[in-house]
């Protein structure tokens, strides 16, 4: 189990006991509007059941790939999820984040995403990492730019057309972080 700490946050794999708090974040209307539907349809199952299914899927990815979104904790309180996620439709790894609206605008998404890039290009030795979002999600696009990703193209994903794709490769990341370290 990979646990990371940033300046302000603790990042750890979600556990079954986190399901109630995770459901409150994941299915908050202001959060859900930016995310694809959960793999368990919340209209046929309660949000906590859907949260358990997501947590189980993340746990399987940790076992299989050594990566999945972490729970994002501020002072031991779950405020979101973020990290890396393998996307089979693209055969690639994405960096992602979703935070409760109470945590928006405080730089947490950038903090989580930067830690995820360090983990992906460091211990996992990935060749590249991408991020996608809706065209009108300018806040997420700003995070993508702050962490060094570059806009590349538009893609279709899970029934959504014209999703914007940003990415960065290991060499660009290494150059960017070595410059930042000076």
């Amino acid at each position: 189990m990979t646990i990371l700490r940033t300046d302000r946050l603790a990042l750890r794999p979600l556990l079954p006991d986190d399901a109630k708090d995770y459901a409150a974040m994941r299915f908050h209307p202001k959060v859900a509007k930016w995310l694809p539907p959960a793999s368990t349809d919340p209209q046929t199952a309660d949000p906590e059941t859907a949260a358990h299914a997501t947590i189980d899927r993340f746990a399987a990815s940790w076992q299989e790939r050594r990566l999945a979104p972490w729970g994002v904790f501020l002072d031991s309180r779950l405020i979101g999820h973020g990290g890396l996620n393998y996307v089979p439709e693209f055969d690639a790894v994405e960096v992602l984040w979703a935070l409760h609206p109470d945590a928006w605008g405080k730089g947490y998404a950038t903090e989580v995403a930067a830690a995820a890039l360090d983990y992906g290009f460091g211990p996992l030795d990935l060749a590249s990492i991408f991020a996608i979002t809706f065209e009108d999600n300018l806040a997420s696009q700003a995070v993508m730019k702050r962490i060094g990703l570059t806009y590349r193209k538009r893609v279709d994903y899970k029934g959504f057309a014209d999703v914007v794709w940003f990415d960065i490769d290991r060499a660009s990341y290494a150059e960017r972080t070595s410059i930042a370290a000076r």
Side-chain angles (χ1 to χ4, degrees), residues 39 41 47 52 91 100 105 114 139 142 159-160 169 179 182:
S39 56
D41 184 353
H52 274 288
D91 190 26
H100 190 279
F160 296 100
D169 61 31
I179 291 170
R182 290 185 204 154

Side-chain angles (χ1 to χ4, degrees), residues 1-84:
M1 180 179 332
T2 301
I3 299 172
L4 298 180
R5 295 207 178 274
T6 68
D7 288 341
R8 301 177 292 171
L9 305 170
L11 310 177
R12 69 154 170 83
L14 290 163
L15 303 172
D17 287 347
D18 297 319
K20 183 177 180 180
D21 292 337
Y22 182 71
M25 182 283 302
R26 170 62 177 84
F27 297 107
H28 188 289
K30 289 183 178 178
V31 175
K33 81 178 254 184
W34 299 114
L35 300 175
S39 56
T40 301
D41 184 353
Q43 294 181 358
T44 60
D46 70 289
E48 198 167 330
T49 299
H52 274 288
T54 299
I55 290 169
D56 289 347
R57 183 172 48 83
F58 290 171
S61 182
W62 278 111
Q63 289 297 316
E64 182 181 341
R65 300 185 182 282
R66 296 179 32 226
L67 62 86
W70 289 283
V72 178
F73 294 85
L74 175 67
D75 300 326
S76 301
R77 182 175 54 92
L78 179 72
I79 63 168
H81 76 237
L84 301 173

Side-chain angles (χ1 to χ4, degrees), residues 88-124:
E89 293 89 339
F90 302 125
D91 190 26
V93 173
E94 72 174 322
V95 59
L96 58 78
W97 52 89
L99 301 173
H100 190 279
D102 292 347
W104 291 0
K106 296 175 171 67
Y108 300 138
T110 301
E111 201 168 318
V112 169
L117 291 181
D118 286 346
Y119 179 68
F121 290 124
L124 295 181

